[in-house]
Amino acid sequence: FDQDYQSLVAENIYYYFYGLRYHNMWKSFANQKGVRAYFKGYVVNNCIGVYEGPEDYMIETKEADQVTTRNKRFFKAIMNLCEREGVEVVLYSVPAPVNYNTYKHNGIQMLADEYGLKYIDFNMNWKEIGIDWSKDSQDRGDHLNRDGGIKLSTWLGSWLMDEFDLPDHRSDPE
């Protein structure tokens, strides 16, 4: 199986056997170390794994990875649902120098252009949002840690509020 099919099978199994998704949680109780916090798939992680690769990992090229037919089919279904529900779609890519490159960026940009969508690639502007690869990665540039996630979320939240004139409901008791 390739990774897409493994995920597809796993998600269907998790749907019917929900306990399998967090199958290791019982260990926390047995060892009395407490329960790890899970937030819709994101595990809060304060570890630091320094990325030591090149800062200029987004090398300019016109070549692009093509989005697979299967992924385009799923994407079109999502777009149809969003259109029916009146939801505006924004695409974004998180900064991840270990597994991201300009070929992927160009492929997603082509998809965004095809559908007339806004696309923010944080691999192109990670410095602007304040990512520090010596502090903000948990695994040497593959994923952001808690601090990196806060920087990214804060920047994206401000951008979304400005771009779509969204009201700030944080102080609203309702």
Side-chain angles (χ1 to χ4, degrees):
F1 283 125
D2 73 313
Q3 195 167 3
D4 287 337
Y5 287 111
Q6 285 178 347
S7 294
L8 183 64
V9 170
E11 288 303 318
N12 281 306
I13 291 171
Y14 293 154
Y15 178 79
Y16 291 104
F17 303 99
Y18 195 73
L20 292 177
R21 181 178 300 274
Y22 305 118
H23 64 278
N24 283 329
M25 285 185 73
W26 67 270
K27 293 178 184 176
S28 297
F29 292 110
N31 296 331
Q32 298 187 351
K33 292 182 182 174
V35 179
R36 290 175 67 186
Y38 289 87
F39 299 95
K40 296 184 179 180
Y42 177 74
V43 179
V44 176
N45 189 324
N46 294 325
C47 295
I48 296 175
V50 177
Y51 170 67
E52 296 175 339
E55 286 190 0
D56 59 348
Y57 62 96
M58 296 296 286
I59 298 167
E60 191 171 331
T61 182
K62 299 284 185 208
E63 295 180 51
D65 284 347
Q66 297 300 311
V67 177
T68 66
T69 302
R70 179 175 176 273
N71 287 343
K72 277 189 177 181
R73 194 169 50 244
F74 283 118
F75 186 78
K76 187 173 184 177
I78 292 167
M79 290 301 300
N80 289 337
L81 174 64
C82 289
E83 187 175 314
R84 281 195 312 271
E85 298 296 324
V87 174
E88 190 159 350
V89 176
V90 174
L91 301 179
Y92 72 95
S93 298
V94 297
V98 166
N99 61 33
Y100 205 79
N101 58 47
T102 310
Y103 302 105
K104 291 177 182 182
H105 166 86
N106 291 346
I108 295 172
Q109 185 65 63
M110 288 169 49
L111 184 67
D113 292 345
E114 180 181 338
Y115 282 87
L117 302 175
K118 296 177 190 307
Y119 173 44
I120 303 171
D121 187 346
F122 290 107
N123 292 282
M124 304 297 248
N125 70 338
W126 56 268
K127 288 181 183 178
E128 178 184 334
I129 62 175
I131 296 296
D132 179 344
W133 291 118
S134 70
K135 299 177 186 173
D136 295 329
S137 176
Q138 62 178 305
D139 50 11
R140 297 183 304 267
D142 196 12
H143 298 90
L144 296 174
N145 61 17
R146 179 186 161 276
D147 292 342
I150 288 171
K151 290 175 184 180
L152 178 79
S153 298
T154 301
W155 193 97
L156 180 59
S158 294
W159 182 87
L160 288 169
M161 287 177 68
D162 293 344
E163 190 71 23
F164 296 100
D165 196 30
L166 300 175
D168 185 343
H169 290 289
R170 288 178 290 191
S171 61
D172 183 350
E174 297 293 319

